[in-house]
Amino acid sequence: MEIDYTHHQTAHCENGVVSNLMKFNGYGVSEPMVFGIGSGLLYCYIPFLKVNHAPAITYRVMPGQIFNRFAKRVGIKIKREKFKNPSQAKLSLDENLKKNNPVGLQVGVFNLTYFPEEYRFHFNAHNLVVYGKQDDKYLISDPIMENVSTLTEEELEKVRFAKGAFAPKGHIYYPIDFPKELDLKRAIIKGIKHTCKDMLAPIPIVGVRGMRFTAKKIRRWPKKEGIKKANHYLGQIVRMQEEIGTGGGGFRYIFAAFLQEASTVLENTQLFDLSNEMTIIGDTWRDFAVDASRIYKNRSAKNDAYNDIANQLENIADMEEVFFKKLKKAIR
Amino acid sequence: MKKSDIPQDRGSKDTSNFKELCYATDEEGNYVTGNSTGWDPKKIALDNAIEEIHERTENAKQRVLKKETSPIEYYMELNKMDVSILASYIGFWSWRVKRHFKVKVFHKLSDKILKKYADLFKISINQLKDIEYGN
């Protein structure tokens, strides 16, 4: 059984699942639109949480939040289910497929067989769509892949019941109720306002303050942690920024694409100019990554190099602070 | 980033067929999408992270051979896990897993518990008991 579903490749998995499922249901919503309305953009440094033995840094909101916010703001309802028992999780999936309903699944990537080996870490917040079953194989539309793939029953069960942080527990989700017409205008304004609030939040580890906080830490890393660890930490910042799914520049390019689309929907030319500004900020993030990679490539950097990279990060924080203040005014 | 500037550096062997989607602007400044085969700054970061795991694994191996830790820690590193991930897969508390790293405790483990670890790491109990088994 195969549902008449079209796979579209996207940069990020969660946006991609939402955008693909919306398109299946007859609503042409692009990936940047989902990301912007769902207020996906963020910066957060969590010093006490270690991922792969380095401090956790994220350029986006928590998994699941983009879809939740998007759904609330455009007025669709999502059904979500989690399971203790793998056989029940399978039953629920099979029933949906029988009803011609493609569904989103949260999975872990460590056992995801079609993924390149080097991307297979214990990361449990990946998303994909199942759109059918042929013989004993599930038909998989993974938004970050160019083409569709398949997984056996056993393989799918493994990734649906991966363990560790954010364990998916068979998490299955799909939209169930749609309004007659999506009210994108209101949703866009809400989405932008929320992102501005997050990025300018008076919390030391979030938004532009979080970047300055990270910059301060970077200056101390070589002395406090030693060169080896400092390089490993720096590598982690770049990996989180440029990892598959970010679209490059720590999601800044996707956000710029969203602002451009939003400027058309809201007939607001200011947003078009701001989109260009965000593109420049994205480019600055990439320059930062290039210089950071020079440090951890050579493995024996001087303290100066770390100070230089910290200066760059502070510069980006300044740019983003000005930017989000302007953006806040532009949609008032 | 302009569409013509989307990085096309070569990925590793593994990712040679893998092209990810990027957002970039065309000649008129409008956003479009394009595919990227890879980008060096990112590849170096990923390579370093993988090498770091190899080093941790090798380090654990040496400590197992010196009888400073049990093979469980070695297999944990080999599977890119840390204590909390291993604990949640095996269904024990973290402190209990850490206790199983002690060589003395490891030798007293029941076959049932050993089997649990062996199944998780997809190895035999013999391989679990001796990391050089069969070599």
Side-chain angles (χ1 to χ4, degrees), chain A residues 140-209:
Chain A
I140 308 289
S141 153
D142 188 321
I144 69 159
M145 306 293 286
E146 262 184 299
N147 302 309
V148 292
S149 21
T150 58
L151 288 174
T152 64
E153 289 184 354
E154 204 182 320
E155 284 166 344
L156 190 64
E157 184 179 311
K158 240 186 204 157
V159 294
R160 290 183 77 188
F161 285 87
K163 299 281 169 59
F166 298 116
K169 299 191 175 115
H171 190 175
I172 177 172
Y173 57 91
Y174 44 92
I176 43 168
D177 188 37
F178 301 90
K180 277 203 185 108
E181 226 176 287
L182 299 185
D183 182 7
L184 285 185
K185 283 187 185 172
R186 256 191 57 218
I188 289 171
I189 291 174
K190 274 198 172 166
I192 291 179
K193 276 190 179 161
H194 196 136
T195 299
C196 291
K197 204 179 108 202
D198 279 353
M199 290 305 294
L200 300 169
I203 305 167
I205 57 169
V206 177
V208 293
R209 282 179 182 78

Side-chain angles (χ1 to χ4, degrees), chain A residues 68 128 279 326:
Chain A
N68 281 343
L128 50 79
T279 307
K326 263 196 251 172

Side-chain angles (χ1 to χ4, degrees), chain A residues 278-293:
Chain A
M278 186 79 309
T279 307
I280 294 169
I281 293 176
D283 291 343
T284 318
W285 275 109
R286 291 216 121 178
D287 294 341
F288 167 81
V290 171
D291 286 344
S293 75

Side-chain angles (χ1 to χ4, degrees), chain A residues 178-241:
Chain A
F178 301 90
K180 277 203 185 108
E181 226 176 287
L182 299 185
D183 182 7
L184 285 185
K185 283 187 185 172
R186 256 191 57 218
I188 289 171
I189 291 174
K190 274 198 172 166
I192 291 179
K193 276 190 179 161
H194 196 136
T195 299
C196 291
K197 204 179 108 202
D198 279 353
M199 290 305 294
L200 300 169
I203 305 167
I205 57 169
V206 177
V208 293
R209 282 179 182 78
M211 295 175 204
R212 293 190 184 120
F213 188 81
T214 314
K216 243 190 228 167
K217 292 270 176 187
I218 291 177
R219 289 181 205 284
R220 284 189 215 143
W221 279 345
K223 265 199 180 153
K224 200 180 157 212
E225 313 282 355
I227 294 289
K228 194 172 171 338
K229 254 193 178 174
N231 284 348
H232 177 58
Y233 287 4
L234 211 52
Q236 170 109 330
I237 297 184
V238 174
R239 270 180 60 214
M240 292 300 117
Q241 179 190 321

Side-chain angles (χ1 to χ4, degrees), chain A residues 45-51 53-57 221 233 236 240:
Chain A
Y45 175 92
I46 315 167
F48 45 84
L49 184 70
K50 292 274 199 294
V51 176
H53 313 280
I57 282 166
W221 279 345
Y233 287 4
Q236 170 109 330
M240 292 300 117

